Amino acid sequence: FFLSLLVMEFDSFSSDSKREEQWNTNDELLLEKYSKRYEPGSGVNFGEYCRAEMKRLGLDSGVTLSWSKLTFTVMQPPKEQQGTLLNNAKKLLQFWKRPKPIPFDLLNSVSGYAKPGMLSLLLGPPGAGKTTLLEILAGRKETSAKARMSGEILINGQAWTADFNRIAGYVAQDDYHIPLLTVRETLTFSSMLRNHPLVSHEKRLERVDVVMDVLGISHVAETVVGGELLRGVSGGERKRVSIGVELVSCPSVIFMDEPTTGLDSSAAYDIIKSLRNLADSGVPIIVSLLQPSQELYNLFDTLILMDKRECAYFGPTNKCLEHFEQAGYTCPANKNTAEFLLDICTVEEQSYRNAHKVPGQTLSEFYKNSEAYVEVGRDLWTGVKPDPSEESVLPSSRIFAEDVGTQMKLCTKRNASIFFRNRRAIIVRMLRSVIIGLLIGTLFWQMPTDQLGGNNRISLVFFCITFTAMGAIASLPQVAEERRIFYHQRAAHFYRTVAHFLASLIMDIPLSFIEGIIFSTLVFWMTGMNDGTIGDQFLQFFMFVIVLLISNLCAKQFCRLCAAATPTLGFASALAPAILCIWLVFAGFLIPRTSIPIYWKPLNIISPFRYTLESLSINTLHDLSIECDPSEYVPPKPEPIQYCWDFSNPLCACSPTDATCNSDNCGCAQVCPTNSGITILEQYGLNTENGYIYIDTVALFVFYGIFCLFTYLALDYLHWTSAGGAGPQSDEDKEAALAAYRNRKEGNIVEYVRDDEDYNLQGMVNEGSGIDTPLFSEAHTSTMGSSLVFNHLNYSVDIATTKEKLTCKKKWKQLLFDVMGYAPAGRMIALMGATGAGKTTLLDVLAQRKTGGKLEGDVIVNGNFKDQYYNRLVGYVEQSNIFLPTLSVRETLQYSANMRLQSDIPQKEKLQRVEDTIDRLHLRDYADILVGLPETGGLSMELRKKLSIAAELVAEPAIFFLDEPTSGLDSQAAAAVMETARIVADTGVPVICTIHQPSADLFYLFDWLLLLRPGGQTIYFGPLGEKGKTVIDFFGRHGLECGEGKNPADFVLECSGAGIGPRDDPDVGFNIPEDFDCDATWLNSPEFQSLVEKLDEMTAEAQQNASTKGGISPT
């Protein structure tokens, strides 16, 4: 036994030595090859480029990383369910009674390693601990009292250091980008802040060009990244930007969490192939994937399989099937290895069992007793620990690559770009100041110096304070979004907290100053607050502007503090306005300072607006002389007799017994109650000395400094993210999953791969040629579904620059080019194409979700042009799953049904439809669980996607659109979601669904295919045929072949031009010629001619219907 161990150890050492010797031999050639500046578009092997760059700096290109018995435990409350109204009210009143947190292991004793040259695939079902493992290894997971970690992590045999984060690249599941920055600016910002100090400025810019070419995003280099609310690059291109942000620094070890989400299969292969080249240059890489194809799986050399938060296998990919054969599971022939591995981690494992299966034994238990586990332990003991005398790859002792000054300079430059590009926000804020200033100025126009005018001055001051305070609340959403990106970039060691914080302060002042100048100028001069000499007036105006500006900055900084110190935007949005209102109440105007009870005095002292009110009031009223109109004297005439004293005067016509006296000779005196502004100040208990203007201004600066300090501390020491994980799985969850599996095995769910004779839906096209199909007028639509036709759709957006827009010039970019097709009732159409081909744009146009741009073409529903009621027919499941987190699944669906179903439907029937939808989508076991938030737990990604579908189905749409419903899901969850879409189509509703990386089984669920190429042009529209035979034969007529056993979905995607660059491996892909003209292939085909003829007939029919009396509404 010991002899075999020594032999295996010698073989491992020998292979590593040969690989190191090969690297050393090639290094000189690489340094010479990449000595000249890279020319964009010339092509590059990124692995060779990175190794040459590291060797030029005298550093190794990769590190050796090992982890042993990693355990990560968090304290989580139990799953929360929605009870009755009485129970919820009781819980609300007994707020101190919180459910007791329970310990939950997100990782349990996980061991492994990553050596230079290894490309490791991390697989596992949802909740297996993949993301947690990657975050811990990349140094992105923080520990606290509620999150504890044990185990050992070594880098080159040494303890983990804080510098490791900077040389480790980590691509998270989500994209953390500022929408207003361009792709080049986003990558340049990362390159400038994260590269080694010895890398020159020109080299950092060169690395940006290299990475953009490698990832295939050079064509969108000057396009803004965009986001949910701003049009930018496509979702797949945005994911490649996330990868590029990490690659520009040439990291020494890379971790990627689902980097191919949102990419088509060809682009996904090209990305992983680039990572393979990078790993071959000596950089260890660990990548987690959800639905890897067999081609992707074959690129990896090491497999890490996670199951139930434990390691179920760690070892070579080519030995895993043998390992699991001994564990009791046999992989069928021609089965995707990755799908097999994921299936045996779920209830599907029953279908793969063989005679070796030991009842009750888990995968992790078998692994810990296997030879693979022993080999990992032996490698951790000796194999992955280099000689301590070897030079460490850590390039410097500094945690950050750049000094604070450089960081602050780059952050300020970035914030300036964001500031000037956010034109709408600037215009809105300027207009707000102008409009409110004009309203106040006209309302208090040229206040007189009488009693009313004097009192109105302090009222005006309070109104100005209220406007500046409440206006600061609008900054909360922006600050919350900035915090999310800040956490990610600080963890990646872009910059220190102080650099980001000071840059935000610097860029916040100019706009606030401009707002203050506009508002103050209008209010001060229009209301007549100026008095005295010209010099005094300008001094008063200057202090008015300064005090309002610092007050505004105080309010904004307090809102920033609330956003930084609270876990969610909702919390901050409730806290900040409440405290600001309290400070306004106790400022000393609504309740004069002298009237505030002594036990509430501290609130007056700590209110910043007390000092604003006092300084502005003194500035306005101190030198003001107040007169009285005849009607303002006290007491009024005729005067009460008690105010007269000289009845002995012969001219007095009143007596002491009279009630009033109207004589001027009886000693009756009228006085002007307020003859100066100081009297008004005294009435409100304010100080009257001029010096308090400056004292109060200093106090406001102190408040501003305190808020800044606490905001910085909150950003630096608080990190409001969830501990991760899906939470403990209940017995009900396990039983529900097992029941669903048995239903599928027993045939209780419809079988979807059907023969030709089963396709009897009316309106279907003949599978062979696509000719002689009945028109929609000839086909009777089902009781639920409608028919949809879209003909000659062209969609363009205005991409004019700011300068061009100022001159009223428009520059159009066409995203959809003459797209045509139709969807009869009951047909399920796959909308496919390369990343950026316009798939989401087409769905947005068909669902009428586009609010800008120029649209041409016809959309016909049930033989009539769409009208204003068209939206009521459409159900659209977008990529993002947005719900109210405080509602349960059932309540979310009930809300959708009540708001969207017709009012004449009885309430009982609406609720019954909700229950039917819950059963149809297998959501019964989750019906009373709160939706929650993704960052704090809640429903899993699969359940959220199902809930998105259910929320549309309860409205009973006649046309159903789904945009990438399988993105972010593993293969089993993707199958469940697509089976749901198939069920919807079988009820008679036409379904059009975009899909990026479908397996062959998912691809066969569709009836027809609409294929787009980059540029938004159709290159195929027609039936799939059995096993995709029809579409394969279409491209086969032009010399393109889909090999035996290959995925037809990958074949059609590559025919559409998907992918980033030419393939260097002839055995991979489908050998599509570079000169293949997909446009000519489609436009010259009989299928296209037949489609044009049919659509012309349908359009003519719709025009005929429209010419009749009033036409017929599609609804």
Side-chain angles (χ1 to χ4, degrees):
F1 174 73
F2 285 109
L3 181 60
S4 64
L5 288 181
L6 289 174
V7 171
M8 294 176 66
E9 183 176 343
F10 176 78
D11 290 341
S12 175
F13 175 77
S14 177
S15 62
D16 290 346
S17 299
K18 290 180 180 178
R19 182 164 53 185
E20 186 67 31
E21 181 179 353
Q22 181 182 1
W23 285 340
N24 293 334
T25 303
N26 295 335
D27 284 345
E28 295 298 328
L29 298 176
L30 292 180
L31 288 173
E32 181 180 356
K33 180 178 179 181
Y34 295 104
S35 59
K36 297 181 180 179
R37 176 171 174 78
Y38 174 76
E39 293 296 332
S42 59
V44 65
N45 183 311
F46 189 65
E48 294 179 350
Y49 177 83
C50 282
R51 185 169 183 85
E53 287 293 293
M54 297 299 284
K55 287 299 178 183
R56 187 173 287 107
L57 298 175
L59 302 170
D60 293 331
S61 60
V63 298
T64 299
L65 176 70
S66 63
W67 58 95
S68 178
K69 297 184 178 180
L70 277 186
T71 299
F72 192 79
T73 305
V74 297
M75 302 300 293
Q76 286 190 344
K79 279 189 176 181
E80 193 171 354
Q81 293 194 347
Q82 184 72 9
T84 64
L85 180 62
L86 182 62
N87 289 338
N88 289 335
K90 186 178 179 181
K91 289 180 183 179
L92 185 62
L93 293 175
Q94 296 178 343
F95 60 89
W96 62 90
K97 291 185 178 181
R98 297 293 182 189
K100 186 177 180 181
I102 57 176
F104 178 61
D105 288 337
L106 298 181
L107 287 181
N108 186 11
S109 190
V110 178
S111 300
Y113 58 85
K115 295 190 291 186
M118 286 177 55
L119 179 60
S120 304
L121 173 62
L122 179 58
L123 280 180
K130 306 186 297 296
T131 297
T132 303
L133 177 61
L134 290 177
E135 287 181 344
I136 290 176
L137 295 180
R140 308 298 172 91
K141 180 70 77 174
E142 297 186 0
T143 59
S144 63
K146 295 182 179 180
R148 301 186 303 273
M149 185 180 72
S150 61
E152 182 183 47
I153 302 178
L154 298 177
I155 299 96
N156 286 347
Q158 304 172 9
W160 188 92
T161 63
D163 203 14
F164 178 68
N165 291 38
R166 189 166 61 79
I167 65 169
Y170 174 63
V171 179
Q173 288 186 25
D174 297 325
D175 299 319
Y176 297 90
H177 304 301
I178 297 176
L180 288 168
L181 293 182
T182 65
V183 171
R184 182 182 298 277
E185 288 170 339
T186 301
L187 298 182
T188 301
F189 184 75
S190 175
S191 182
M192 291 298 175
L193 285 174
R194 302 182 66 195
N195 272 303
H196 192 279
L198 296 178
V199 179
S200 65
H201 180 82
E202 290 73 17
K203 270 293 180 183
R204 298 183 190 208
L205 296 178
E206 176 186 289
R207 291 185 178 185
V208 172
D209 292 329
V210 170
V211 168
M212 287 195 297
D213 281 351
V214 169
L215 297 178
I217 52 178
S218 298
H219 63 288
V220 292
E222 306 306 328
T223 304
V224 294
V225 176
E228 293 183 359
L229 301 178
L230 178 67
R231 184 182 70 247
V233 299
S234 68
E237 290 165 342
R238 192 175 299 120
K239 175 59 70 174
R240 282 185 257 174
V241 173
S242 299
I243 299 173
V245 164
E246 302 300 325
L247 295 186
V248 289
S249 61
C250 293
S252 301
V253 58
I254 301 175
F255 308 93
M256 294 190 174
D257 195 2
E258 303 171 12
T260 60
T261 299
L263 300 179
D264 60 76
S265 54
S266 295
Y269 179 87
D270 292 336
I271 293 294
I272 302 301
K273 180 63 177 178
S274 297
L275 296 179
R276 177 72 268 174
N277 294 333
L278 186 57
D280 290 340
S281 70
V283 178
I285 304 174
I286 302 178
V287 182
S288 74
L289 295 178
L290 286 172
Q291 306 173 48
S293 63
Q294 190 64 46
E295 288 79 7
L296 286 183
Y297 180 85
N298 294 337
L299 292 175
F300 293 88
D301 52 61
T302 306
L303 171 67
I304 307 172
L305 181 64
M306 299 291 296
D307 181 34
K308 299 178 179 65
R309 297 163 296 282
E310 295 182 328
C311 186
Y313 177 78
F314 183 96
T317 53
N318 56 6
K319 294 183 179 180
C320 69
L321 294 183
E322 178 184 350
H323 170 87
F324 288 109
E325 179 75 24
Q326 298 173 0
Y329 300 100
T330 302
C331 180
N334 299 324
K335 176 73 175 180
N336 185 336
T337 305
E339 290 186 13
F340 163 73
L341 294 172
L342 290 172
D343 285 347
I344 64 176
C345 296
T346 66
V347 293
E348 302 278 353
E349 55 90 18
Q350 297 181 15
S351 60
Y352 300 102
R353 290 183 179 181
N354 60 27
H356 298 291
K357 176 61 181 175
V358 177
Q361 186 182 51
T362 65
L363 293 176
S364 59
E365 289 172 350
F366 177 82
Y367 168 67
K368 290 179 180 178
N369 295 315
S370 67
E371 176 61 28
Y373 186 75
V374 174
E375 187 173 349
V376 170
R378 181 173 56 253
D379 287 338
L380 290 175
W381 177 43
T382 57
V384 298
K385 290 189 177 182
D387 188 345
S389 62
E390 291 186 7
E391 180 184 359
S392 172
V393 75
L394 300 182
S396 72
S397 59
R398 293 184 297 171
I399 296 180
F400 295 88
E402 298 294 340
D403 56 81
V404 176
T406 303
Q407 293 171 10
M408 192 170 69
K409 174 185 174 182
L410 291 172
C411 288
T412 304
K413 181 180 178 182
R414 179 186 67 171
N415 290 354
S417 299
I418 298 170
F419 172 79
F420 289 110
R421 283 194 189 135
N422 197 6
R423 297 185 302 274
R424 291 184 180 178
I426 296 175
I427 293 172
V428 168
R429 291 175 66 173
M430 295 299 104
L431 285 177
R432 182 184 64 181
S433 298
V434 170
I435 293 172
I436 300 298
L438 289 174
L439 285 175
I440 297 177
T442 53
L443 182 64
F444 294 90
W445 175 261
Q446 294 300 316
M447 292 180 293
T449 56
D450 55 13
Q451 300 292 300
L452 180 61
N455 286 289
N456 279 348
R457 276 171 165 77
I458 194 169
S459 302
L460 173 60
V461 166
F462 182 76
F463 196 96
C464 294
I465 297 172
T466 304
F467 169 70
T468 58
M470 294 296 103
I473 300 174
S475 63
L476 280 173
Q478 177 187 352
V479 174
E481 179 63 20
E482 287 178 359
R483 186 184 73 171
R484 170 179 171 271
I485 298 173
F486 161 73
Y487 282 154
H488 176 78
Q489 293 186 342
R490 185 186 59 180
H493 285 208
F494 278 70
Y495 43 70
R496 298 178 186 270
T497 304
V498 65
H500 165 80
F501 178 70
L502 292 178
S504 299
L505 292 185
I506 291 172
M507 288 310 303
D508 193 36
I509 292 176
L511 186 56
S512 297
F513 182 75
I514 296 173
E515 282 185 289
I517 286 289
I518 294 174
F519 178 75
S520 302
T521 301
L522 293 173
V523 171
F524 186 85
W525 300 104
M526 290 179 68
T527 59
M529 297 179 73
N530 54 308
D531 62 285
T533 64
I534 295 297
D536 291 340
Q537 292 181 24
F538 278 100
L539 179 60
Q540 285 179 319
F541 174 69
F542 176 76
M543 292 308 302
F544 186 78
V545 172
I546 292 298
V547 173
L548 271 185
L549 173 62
I550 188 61
S551 180
N552 185 25
L553 291 176
C554 277
K556 284 184 177 179
Q557 197 57 46
F558 176 73
C559 290
R560 286 181 175 272
L561 172 59
C562 291
T566 53
T568 63
L569 174 61
F571 200 135
S573 298
L575 179 64
I579 295 181
L580 288 176
C581 287
I582 292 174
W583 283 346
L584 286 171
V585 169
F586 287 91
F589 174 77
L590 298 177
I591 305 176
R593 192 182 301 179
T594 53
S595 302
I596 298 177
I598 190 171
Y599 45 84
W600 290 121
K601 288 284 187 182
L603 286 178
N604 174 255
I605 296 174
I606 65 173
S607 170
F609 304 130
R610 160 208 166 123
Y611 305 95
T612 309
L613 179 71
E614 185 173 79
S615 59
L616 291 180
S617 297
I618 296 174
N619 185 63
T620 303
L621 296 172
H622 184 270
D623 298 325
L624 183 67
S625 297
I626 298 178
E627 302 171 352
C628 280
D629 286 338
S631 60
E632 293 179 331
Y633 281 94
V634 176
K637 287 189 175 183
E639 301 177 41
I641 198 67
Q642 60 266 28
Y643 289 95
C644 303
W645 57 271
D646 192 8
F647 297 107
S648 59
N649 190 336
L651 299 177
C652 178
C654 302
S655 66
T657 59
D658 295 334
T660 60
C661 180
N662 200 25
S663 175
D664 294 333
N665 300 312
C666 298
C668 304
Q670 280 187 310
V671 296
C672 188
T674 304
N675 53 18
S676 69
I678 293 179
T679 307
I680 298 178
L681 296 175
E682 292 173 344
Q683 290 173 358
Y684 283 92
L686 304 177
N687 291 299
T688 60
E689 299 294 334
N690 257 331
Y692 278 96
I693 298 176
Y694 309 103
I695 294 174
D696 291 335
T697 303
V698 171
L700 288 173
F701 275 105
V702 171
F703 272 103
Y704 181 62
I706 293 174
F707 293 153
C708 288
L709 175 63
F710 280 101
T711 303
Y712 169 77
L713 294 176
L715 287 173
D716 203 37
Y717 291 100
L718 299 179
H719 194 109
W720 296 109
T721 57
S722 78
Q729 188 180 31
S730 64
D731 294 336
E732 292 81 1
D733 296 340
K734 298 176 182 177
E735 292 175 2
L738 187 59
Y741 164 74
R742 289 171 178 166
N743 282 336
R744 288 196 294 273
K745 297 298 290 183
E746 296 169 5
N748 294 337
I749 295 180
V750 64
E751 183 66 36
Y752 302 113
V753 181
R754 301 172 294 184
D755 296 331
D756 287 346
E757 58 267 23
D758 291 331
Y759 288 96
N760 293 324
L761 290 173
Q762 293 180 332
M764 292 286 291
V765 176
N766 181 275
E767 290 287 333
S769 63
I771 305 177
D772 298 331
T773 302
L775 299 179
F776 286 117
S777 59
E778 303 168 7
H780 299 287
T781 57
S782 71
T783 56
M784 286 189 62
S786 295
S787 58
L788 175 69
V789 177
F790 43 98
N791 191 17
H792 297 295
L793 285 186
N794 294 276
Y795 179 73
S796 304
V797 293
D798 184 12
I799 59 171
T801 62
T802 304
K803 183 178 179 180
E804 290 171 335
K805 288 182 178 179
L806 290 175
T807 57
C808 298
K809 291 183 179 179
K810 291 189 176 183
K811 184 178 180 181
W812 296 101
K813 178 181 180 181
Q814 191 161 351
L815 302 182
L816 296 178
F817 185 84
D818 209 34
V819 178
M820 298 182 290
Y822 56 99
R827 177 172 295 170
M828 187 167 170
I829 299 177
L831 176 55
M832 298 178 64
T835 302
K839 303 182 294 297
T840 299
T841 301
L842 176 58
L843 287 189
D844 287 343
V845 168
L846 292 177
Q848 285 196 329
R849 300 300 172 90
K850 289 295 185 184
T851 57
K854 181 172 62 177
L855 176 64
E856 300 173 350
D858 299 320
V859 177
I860 304 171
V861 184
N862 293 340
N864 298 271
F865 293 110
K866 67 177 178 65
D867 58 12
Q868 66 269 29
Y869 304 107
Y870 172 69
N871 281 346
R872 295 180 59 182
L873 294 174
V874 172
Y876 186 23
V877 179
E878 301 184 67
Q879 293 185 33
S880 55
N881 307 306
I882 302 175
F883 303 103
L884 287 174
T886 53
L887 295 182
S888 67
V889 170
R890 176 179 281 109
E891 289 170 336
T892 301
L893 298 182
Q894 288 175 349
Y895 178 79
S896 178
N898 288 328
M899 296 298 292
R900 300 174 68 183
L901 288 174
Q902 296 181 13
S903 58
D904 57 353
I905 298 178
Q907 180 67 15
K908 184 177 180 181
E909 184 176 344
K910 292 181 180 179
L911 297 180
Q912 183 58 46
R913 292 184 184 183
V914 169
E915 299 303 318
D916 293 342
T917 303
I918 289 175
D919 290 332
R920 187 191 305 176
L921 298 186
H922 309 294
L923 292 172
R924 176 64 58 188
D925 295 312
Y926 309 96
D928 294 317
I929 293 179
L930 296 182
V931 175
L933 294 170
E935 59 267 23
T936 57
L939 296 180
S940 66
M941 179 69 77
E942 175 190 357
L943 292 176
R944 287 179 183 275
K945 188 61 69 175
K946 280 190 173 184
L947 182 57
S948 295
I949 296 175
E952 298 298 324
L953 287 184
V954 293
E956 296 188 349
I959 305 168
F960 203 32
F961 302 117
L962 298 97
D963 191 11
E964 298 181 24
T966 62
S967 291
L969 304 181
D970 63 353
S971 56
Q972 188 179 14
V977 169
M978 292 312 302
E979 286 173 356
T980 301
R982 182 70 256 182
I983 291 173
V984 175
D986 289 340
T987 63
V989 176
V991 176
I992 301 180
C993 174
T994 65
I995 189 165
H996 267 145
Q997 302 178 44
S999 64
D1001 292 337
L1002 293 187
F1003 189 58
Y1004 298 151
L1005 292 179
F1006 293 92
D1007 304 320
W1008 275 41
L1009 170 68
L1010 174 56
L1011 187 62
L1012 302 179
R1013 70 158 177 82
Q1017 187 168 356
T1018 307
I1019 60 171
Y1020 180 79
F1021 178 74
L1024 284 182
E1026 184 179 2
K1027 305 291 185 182
K1029 183 177 183 301
T1030 303
V1031 66
I1032 292 175
D1033 291 344
F1034 172 81
F1035 288 104
R1037 299 202 307 260
H1038 301 86
L1040 307 182
E1041 296 183 2
C1042 179
E1044 185 70 24
K1046 291 193 175 183
N1047 187 353
D1050 295 340
F1051 171 68
V1052 298
L1053 276 173
E1054 197 157 328
C1055 290
S1056 71
I1060 295 175
R1063 298 282 166 80
D1064 54 3
D1065 188 353
D1067 296 329
V1068 176
F1070 303 90
N1071 299 320
I1072 307 297
E1074 292 186 19
D1075 59 350
F1076 172 65
D1077 190 348
C1078 54
D1079 293 336
T1081 299
W1082 169 245
L1083 296 176
N1084 297 325
S1085 67
E1087 288 85 354
F1088 172 72
Q1089 301 301 326
S1090 175
L1091 175 64
V1092 171
E1093 293 174 3
K1094 291 180 183 296
L1095 292 182
D1096 288 343
E1097 293 181 39
M1098 295 174 186
T1099 303
E1101 181 182 341
Q1103 291 173 345
Q1104 182 179 357
N1105 291 336
S1107 64
T1108 60
K1109 185 178 179 180
I1112 303 174
S1113 172
T1115 59

